[in-house]
Amino acid sequence: MLTTELSETEVSALRTNKERLASDLHHSCQWGSGIRWGDGPTDTGMQRLALSQDDKSVRDWFIQTMKALKCNVTVDEMGNIFAVRPGRRSDVPATFIGSHLDTQPTGGRYDGILGVLAGIEVIKTMNDMGLETEGGVGVVDWTNEEGARFPISMVSSGVWAECIPLAHAHNLKEVPTVASLPTAASAPETMKSALQKIGYLGDIPCSYKSTPMAAHFEVHIEQGPYLVSANQRVGVVTAVQAYRWFRLNVIGRDTHTGTTAFEHRADALYAFAQMMVRAREVAASKGCLASVGIVDAKPGSVNTVPGQVSFSLDIRGPETEQVAEVEKELRTDFDAIAAAEGAGIGKPCRVEWTLDFDSPAVKFHEDCIDCVQQSAQAVVADASIADTKSLVRTIMSGAGHDSVFTSKRVPTSMIFIPCKGGLSHHPEEFSTADDCVTGASVILQAVVRYDRKRFL
Amino acid sequence: MLTTELSETEVSALRTNKERLASDLHHSCQWGSGIRWGDGPTDTGMQRLALSQDDKSVRDWFIQTMKALKCNVTVDEMGNIFAVRPGRRSDVPATFIGSHLDTQPTGGRYDGILGVLAGIEVIKTMNDMGLETEGGVGVVDWTNEEGARFPISMVSSGVWAECIPLAHAHNLKEVPTVASLPTAASAPETMKSALQKIGYLGDIPCSYKSTPMAAHFEVHIEQGPYLVSANQRVGVVTAVQAYRWFRLNVIGRDTHTGTTAFEHRADALYAFAQMMVRAREVAASKGCLASVGIVDAKPGSVNTVPGQVSFSLDIRGPETEQVAEVEKELRTDFDAIAAAEGAGIGKPCRVEWTLDFDSPAVKFHEDCIDCVQQSAQAVVADASIADTKSLVRTIMSGAGHDSVFTSKRVPTSMIFIPCKGGLSHHPEEFSTADDCVTGASVILQAVVRYDRKRFL
């Protein structure tokens, strides 16, 4: 059976296997299972930081699994793993399904993991059916998507897209606050050395030129409350909001907490506290988000006023310009806050900004969006309600994903499924097996439809 | 020559040696010298955390020096080092001069160090003069006064005074934020094991009963701006302000920064920021101080809203009751701040308080204060101004000192000298050699006067 020979009805009837997907997903979560939140065997979060021993174990399993499914596996210089099920034609790039197997330090079982596992499930379904595609179909595990260990998210799809220089990525040092890694605090490891250490520094150049793709599809939990609160089943993702990540340093003056009056202080942590409060005010007034995830106050002693504070600032908004406006206003406000703290002694605090990451708003590709839209409608038609169309909506992604970078080079789009309470980056992150298999079935059909679009 | 045979004029003429004191002080700062701030050979701060290798080195030097000065040296179970120059009578306790040789992680060359070095200088002066005392004169180095490595300040004088149980002190774990210590982040060491490791777990019980004292005098930099800005030379310390140290935990919910609207967050770090701003407001309104020196946000990832924040809170005020009032108001306010953050999703933040340390306001002993007052007036009489009396003032200490604990068991008082800009707990902490020797001469006379008061 060949994709281009199927009828529309046959395509719409394609489904993946719910039990097998759930079983594989939880099997893969044995490596790096995290904080327990319930009594069930799978009621734990995940703590599988990029390139840790647990990440190595799940990578080994992924490669073994894909080879057993007759896929050709390659690893590039960023440790990205590409597993391709050959199509009828060997002269064209494969259509990829991709996401990531790394997690946040207190993450869950679905963010990223579902995307890769859905890819495995698609290949298993195609193999079982004996379904042949014109172009190949690949599954990719992108390295360090979370940016939790090495502080640029989507860094390896970024190198692949040639948006981030390889050397910059290789030299990234692990974040010391991620204390679960023994090296982080004392001698932070670089990404290159971490890749070497677990045997995943591949020799293929990390580039869309060396590993070309026809398209990139990604299924992901929404990580927000819209689908779940509207009882909708599928989000057809058309765009990704803009965001910018900064590192800020506030420089004040260390001094004794017991003997230094407030007016004699240049308290860098007090300045930070005011800045964080102000950041939410400004972002909210412009329909944006501003968040601090990391803060480090030095010297870190109960009775010394901190003279140095560094913190992360993550600003997001629907449009690139809105994010720029929030940044502009905060630069002015933070300067004013710093200038006031320490003014009494003529030694005001100073604040320095470093831009770590800039991701403008992304619009996904019409062809891919169409494939997802049709597939989503076909899959939710199983539901026992009259108006199944209402179970699908278009949606913008609040978070960045590897699809942001693939979209710079190849047609891309994404599929969202609901997650409990819209909660993510938390051990209790949860999606039902039904919702997971819906996502996998939609991506199966989307890949088939895209193959037909290319070759029919 | 015997103290009790001196005339008042002879006592008032006693002086220590400026050059020798300065030279010894900077010599001792070779162990643990810290951040450089100027070009001169002694223009660095200090980083000599309690029971570190550098602390061991300076302790070894201290013992060697005191033995060479014919003192008897003992070490107790908390690593406190007592060096006693015998007096004429062997049946009475010695009068002690004490302070500490440990520093803050970004500390200076005077806080604590001057107090011990002034003691050494007093013994050297007495030896040179052949001055015999009735009771002995001791110098004590108290362990971990700063509380920077093991998070209770003055912990070892506290055990000596039997105000802090030995086991509690021995089990204290080093603070992980003090990253200069290799063990701190990965496997925090206990105080007992740190004592053992550097060979300073003595076998004498740590108690005022085993190592009795007749009195305790301490010379210290003011660590505040009053003396220096009034051009005064000596502060006769009559009292120490009250303070309480707390550890607080704010528990919210980890969630994704990009996909979680503000109203869906229980952001523990945002709650902390509001609390810190509020703490200063409330403390200022009641004539008190409130400071945060340590903050730790988990999980510590750029794109995860922190679900858990712990921080230190140091509240101080002239009277015990004022500190209690600030605490009471902050408990109410922090609860309200926590309750508001996360209320939108029915999962408000919570805040938990732990009292780590409680030091009520202290009034020093009249006899000791008198000795210091007379000695200070005698020493500043050298100044070439008409009204030398104006160079001395009484003062309250903003910081805690080992003298707080000794005052619970024996007559105690302190002497302050000016420090540049009132700055302390900072590498640039500085007092002139003239001011240092003034402090040493005052304490020399005070010890002699106290000896005369006992036996004349």
Side-chain angles (χ1 to χ4, degrees):
Chain A
M1 203 171 9
L2 186 66
T3 50
T4 44
E5 291 167 359
L6 298 174
S7 67
E8 274 295 318
T9 314
E10 283 171 320
V11 173
S12 294
L14 292 170
R15 295 291 183 278
T16 53
N17 182 316
K18 177 169 88 171
E19 285 73 25
R20 185 171 59 191
L21 172 59
S23 159
D24 284 355
L25 186 143
H26 293 303
H27 178 81
S28 77
C29 288
Q30 71 184 276
W31 297 290
S33 86
I35 296 166
R36 177 159 290 282
W37 54 267
D39 294 333
T42 64
D43 295 350
T44 79
M46 290 296 292
Q47 179 176 43
R48 191 161 63 202
L49 290 159
L51 309 182
S52 61
Q53 279 305 310
D54 286 320
D55 191 28
K56 174 186 162 43
S57 300
V58 75
R59 286 164 171 266
D60 292 349
W61 170 82
F62 174 58
I63 289 175
Q64 197 184 349
T65 303
M66 298 317 280
K67 283 185 173 166
L69 294 171
K70 310 258 183 294
C71 293
N72 301 318
V73 177
T74 56
V75 178
D76 72 15
E77 298 161 302
M78 288 300 295
N80 297 317
I81 307 171
F82 305 92
V84 178
R85 178 180 188 264
R88 201 169 67 89
R89 306 178 189 220
S90 59
D91 59 333
V92 295
T95 298
F96 273 82
I97 296 171
S99 202
H100 58 95
L101 291 170
D102 71 315
T103 77
Q104 289 285 324
T106 58
R109 292 177 166 242
Y110 300 88
D111 176 354
I113 300 171
L114 173 63
V116 177
L117 272 286
I120 298 173
E121 175 56 29
V122 164
I123 302 297
K124 286 187 174 178
T125 303
M126 286 179 163
N127 282 5
D128 288 354
M129 292 175 63
L131 181 65
E132 196 178 7
T133 51
E134 295 282 347
V137 176
V139 183
V140 48
D141 171 33
W142 298 105
T143 300
N144 191 59
E145 191 273 350
E146 292 291 358
R149 182 174 179 193
F150 300 97
I152 296 186
S153 68
M154 300 124 56
V155 63
S156 304
S157 48
V159 174
W160 175 89
E162 296 191 2
C163 295
I164 298 173
L166 177 72
H168 182 59
H170 271 176
N171 290 330
L172 278 177
K173 287 201 174 147
E174 60 188 344
V175 172
T177 47
V178 178
S180 60
L181 294 161
T183 52
S186 49
E189 189 155 38
T190 64
M191 204 163 175
K192 185 170 182 183
S193 109
L195 280 164
Q196 274 167 331
K197 208 171 266 184
I198 65 159
Y200 275 90
L201 182 67
D203 48 13
I204 297 171
C206 180
S207 164
Y208 67 97
K209 292 168 188 156
S210 300
T211 309
M213 297 183 180
H216 185 268
F217 290 92
E218 184 170 7
V219 59
H220 208 281
I221 59 169
E222 182 200 333
Q223 307 183 281
Y226 298 104
L227 293 174
V228 72
S229 50
N231 274 316
Q232 291 173 309
R233 302 275 303 278
V234 182
V236 177
V237 188
T238 57
V240 181
Q241 73 179 349
Y243 66 94
R244 288 187 163 196
W245 285 6
F246 300 93
R247 228 171 342 111
L248 284 88
N249 286 312
V250 184
I251 301 99
R253 194 176 70 146
D254 298 354
T255 182
H256 194 294
T257 58
T259 58
T260 317
F262 290 133
E263 60 270 27
H264 293 141
R265 294 185 182 191
D267 183 337
L269 190 59
Y270 180 70
F272 158 76
Q274 293 174 291
M275 288 173 191
M276 187 171 178
V277 171
R278 184 73 185 132
R280 188 186 281 201
E281 269 172 21
V282 171
S285 75
K286 297 188 188 297
C288 292
L289 295 172
S291 313
V292 179
I294 299 175
V295 62
D296 183 34
K298 288 194 161 47
S301 175
V302 178
N303 55 349
T304 300
V305 170
Q308 194 155 345
V309 170
S310 66
F311 66 101
S312 64
L313 180 66
D314 169 342
I315 308 176
R316 310 206 185 207
E319 299 295 336
T320 310
E321 297 68 35
Q322 286 172 285
V323 170
E325 278 172 36
V326 172
E327 178 192 341
K328 192 179 163 206
E329 193 160 330
L330 289 182
R331 280 182 182 267
T332 306
D333 291 355
F334 286 8
D335 280 345
I337 289 167
E341 178 64 16
I345 46 168
K347 300 198 173 177
C349 290
R350 288 182 296 116
V351 56
E352 301 166 343
W353 294 61
T354 308
L355 177 65
D356 272 345
F357 198 61
D358 185 11
S359 183
V362 165
K363 313 289 175 196
F364 283 139
H365 197 282
E366 278 308 321
D367 288 351
C368 294
I369 295 171
D370 284 349
C371 290
V372 169
Q373 180 73 45
Q374 287 170 41
S375 304
Q377 294 298 353
V379 171
V380 301
D382 296 350
S384 53
I385 66 164
D387 177 23
T388 60
K389 272 198 152 59
S390 69
L391 297 175
V392 176
R393 61 167 285 172
T394 57
I395 194 166
M396 165 177 268
S397 173
H401 298 285
D402 291 307
S403 291
V404 165
F405 277 121
T406 62
S407 76
K408 313 266 184 215
R409 299 300 175 188
V410 296
T412 294
S413 80
M414 293 183 73
I415 298 144
F416 277 175
I417 62 156
C419 60
K420 192 175 156 193
L423 188 66
S424 179
H425 286 197
H426 188 287
E428 293 185 49
E429 179 184 276
F430 181 76
S431 288
T432 65
D434 282 322
D435 285 328
C436 291
V437 77
T438 296
S441 296
V442 172
I443 208 164
L444 164 61
Q445 287 192 20
V447 165
V448 168
R449 282 180 213 276
Y450 196 79
D451 194 54
R452 287 156 58 85
K453 208 181 265 270
R454 289 166 80 195
F455 298 105
L456 201 64
Chain B
M1 201 172 8
L2 186 64
T3 50
T4 44
E5 292 168 358
L6 297 175
S7 69
E8 273 295 320
T9 314
E10 284 171 319
V11 173
S12 293
L14 292 171
R15 295 291 183 277
T16 54
N17 184 317
K18 177 169 87 170
E19 286 71 25
R20 184 170 59 188
L21 172 60
S23 158
D24 283 355
L25 185 143
H26 293 303
H27 178 81
S28 78
C29 288
Q30 71 185 275
W31 297 289
S33 85
I35 295 166
R36 177 159 290 282
W37 54 266
D39 294 334
T42 64
D43 295 351
T44 78
M46 289 296 292
Q47 177 175 44
R48 191 161 64 201
L49 291 159
L51 309 183
S52 61
Q53 279 305 309
D54 286 320
D55 190 29
K56 172 185 163 48
S57 300
V58 76
R59 286 164 170 265
D60 293 350
W61 169 83
F62 174 59
I63 289 176
Q64 199 185 347
T65 302
M66 299 317 281
K67 283 186 173 166
L69 294 171
K70 311 257 182 294
C71 293
N72 302 318
V73 177
T74 54
V75 178
D76 73 14
E77 298 161 302
M78 287 302 294
N80 296 318
I81 307 172
F82 306 92
V84 177
R85 179 179 187 264
R88 201 168 67 86
R89 307 178 188 219
S90 59
D91 59 333
V92 296
T95 298
F96 273 83
I97 296 172
S99 202
H100 58 95
L101 292 169
D102 71 315
T103 78
Q104 288 286 323
T106 58
R109 291 177 167 242
Y110 300 88
D111 175 356
I113 300 171
L114 173 64
V116 177
L117 272 287
I120 299 173
E121 176 55 30
V122 164
I123 303 296
K124 286 186 174 178
T125 301
M126 286 179 162
N127 282 4
D128 288 354
M129 292 177 62
L131 182 65
E132 195 177 9
T133 49
E134 297 281 348
V137 176
V139 183
V140 48
D141 171 33
W142 298 105
T143 300
N144 190 59
E145 190 272 351
E146 292 292 358
R149 181 173 179 193
F150 300 98
I152 295 185
S153 68
M154 300 124 58
V155 64
S156 304
S157 49
V159 174
W160 176 89
E162 297 192 2
C163 295
I164 298 172
L166 177 72
H168 182 59
H170 271 176
N171 290 329
L172 277 178
K173 286 201 173 146
E174 60 188 344
V175 173
T177 48
V178 178
S180 61
L181 294 161
T183 50
S186 49
E189 190 155 38
T190 65
M191 203 163 175
K192 184 171 184 183
S193 110
L195 281 163
Q196 274 166 332
K197 208 172 266 184
I198 66 160
Y200 274 89
L201 182 66
D203 48 12
I204 296 172
C206 180
S207 164
Y208 67 97
K209 292 167 188 156
S210 301
T211 308
M213 297 184 179
H216 185 268
F217 289 93
E218 183 171 8
V219 59
H220 207 281
I221 58 170
E222 182 199 336
Q223 308 183 281
Y226 297 104
L227 293 173
V228 73
S229 50
N231 275 317
Q232 291 174 308
R233 303 276 303 278
V234 181
V236 177
V237 187
T238 55
V240 181
Q241 72 180 351
Y243 66 96
R244 288 188 163 196
W245 286 5
F246 300 93
R247 228 171 341 111
L248 284 87
N249 285 312
V250 185
I251 301 102
R253 194 176 71 146
D254 299 355
T255 183
H256 194 294
T257 59
T259 58
T260 317
F262 290 133
E263 61 269 28
H264 293 140
R265 295 185 183 191
D267 184 337
L269 190 60
Y270 180 70
F272 158 75
Q274 294 173 290
M275 289 172 190
M276 186 171 180
V277 171
R278 184 72 186 133
R280 188 186 280 201
E281 270 172 19
V282 171
S285 76
K286 296 187 187 298
C288 292
L289 294 172
S291 314
V292 179
I294 298 176
V295 62
D296 183 33
K298 286 194 161 51
S301 175
V302 178
N303 56 350
T304 299
V305 170
Q308 195 155 346
V309 170
S310 66
F311 66 101
S312 65
L313 180 66
D314 169 341
I315 307 176
R316 309 208 185 206
E319 299 295 338
T320 310
E321 297 67 34
Q322 285 171 287
V323 169
E325 277 172 36
V326 172
E327 177 191 343
K328 191 179 164 207
E329 192 161 330
L330 289 182
R331 281 182 182 267
T332 306
D333 291 355
F334 286 7
D335 279 346
I337 288 167
E341 178 64 17
I345 46 169
K347 299 198 172 174
C349 289
R350 287 182 296 118
V351 56
E352 299 166 346
W353 294 61
T354 309
L355 177 66
D356 271 346
F357 199 61
D358 184 12
S359 183
V362 166
K363 312 290 174 197
F364 283 139
H365 197 281
E366 279 308 321
D367 290 349
C368 294
I369 294 171
D370 284 350
C371 290
V372 169
Q373 180 75 44
Q374 289 170 40
S375 304
Q377 293 296 355
V379 172
V380 301
D382 296 350
S384 53
I385 67 166
D387 179 22
T388 60
K389 271 199 153 58
S390 68
L391 298 175
V392 177
R393 60 167 285 173
T394 56
I395 194 166
M396 165 176 270
S397 173
H401 297 285
D402 290 307
S403 291
V404 166
F405 277 120
T406 62
S407 75
K408 314 265 183 216
R409 300 299 175 187
V410 297
T412 295
S413 79
M414 294 184 71
I415 298 143
F416 276 175
I417 62 158
C419 59
K420 192 175 156 194
L423 188 64
S424 178
H425 286 196
H426 187 287
E428 292 184 49
E429 178 184 276
F430 181 77
S431 288
T432 65
D434 282 323
D435 286 327
C436 290
V437 79
T438 297
S441 296
V442 173
I443 209 165
L444 164 61
Q445 288 192 21
V447 165
V448 169
R449 283 180 212 276
Y450 196 80
D451 196 53
R452 287 156 59 85
K453 206 181 269 269
R454 289 167 79 193
F455 299 105
L456 202 61

